[in-house]
Amino acid sequence: MDIRQFRHFAAVAESLHFGRAAERLGMTQPPLSQSILALEKELGAPLFARTKRSVELTPLGQQWLPHVLEALAAVDALSETARRLRDGQTGYLTLSFVSTADYSVLPDLVRRYAEAYPDVEIRLVEATSDVQIPAVVAGERHAGIIIPPAERALPEALAYHRLVSEPLVAAAPAAWVEDGRLPIVDRVLSPEALLDAPLVLFPRTVAPAFHDLVTGYFSARGHPARIVQEAIQMQTIISLVSAGLGLALVPASLRNLARAGVAYVELASPPVLETGLVWRREDEAPTLRGLLGLVGV
């Protein structure tokens, strides 16, 4: 069987007349009759009950016709589907992201992409930068929102585009602010007030750039950071702050994560955290091109 036989069968089934069906198909009647006979032979049963005056579908023909029409419609839609895939209007986009992006660039980026390409499936995966980078290199993700390593030392296969730079703020137990344990002047916390404070921080193994940014803020003032607890999820870090285990230096956008018992306080001369998008230079996926266009690449 081939697609032409399906079209021949459908034409005869819908007109119940070999002559009119042949005319509709732009062919003569004898080859159309031969095509139907060959199809019936392959199926091992007749599709039409023929007399000199009429043509009727057999029970097999009646029940098979909807399946044939469905298959023909799917075939006819293939070229349009290919065009939409080529133009990035359908398909899927795999995007990984660090947990901090969930409170800054991710929601707006996903919203704008979904509005521009409503028929593209967006597959989101939360992961730390150290996990994302090899996954993007391996082609397991189209792109990743990461905190770039020092000097943006990324594999040669990857391209990078900065999305946002934002200052760090202190997320502190609210009780420490209320009882004066953290002296705040003009709504700003001085570096000296932080030097002996217990810190909750990402492990360096999973977030070296963020870890070094925070610890460097202390070492630049001649005092090592006093890390009392580590966690790999920003939500967990804020929960530990809420429990009074310590304070954390977090991106300013984390103010969007309201949590009882946590106060966000600006820092004097704060370190600045950069977040950006990475993708494989050789990746020509149309859905990725659409994403890059939205961020101005």
Side-chain angles (χ1 to χ4, degrees), residues 5 20 37 45 61 86 88 175 185 208 224 226 242 248 258 262 271:
Q5 289 177 299
R20 286 194 294 270
L37 288 172
R86 180 201 66 197
V185 179
R226 186 160 72 91
S242 175
V262 176

Side-chain angles (χ1 to χ4, degrees), residues 145-160:
I145 300 175
I146 68 165
I147 297 170
E151 308 298 325
R152 297 182 181 175
L154 292 164
E156 182 63 28
L158 296 183
Y160 175 82

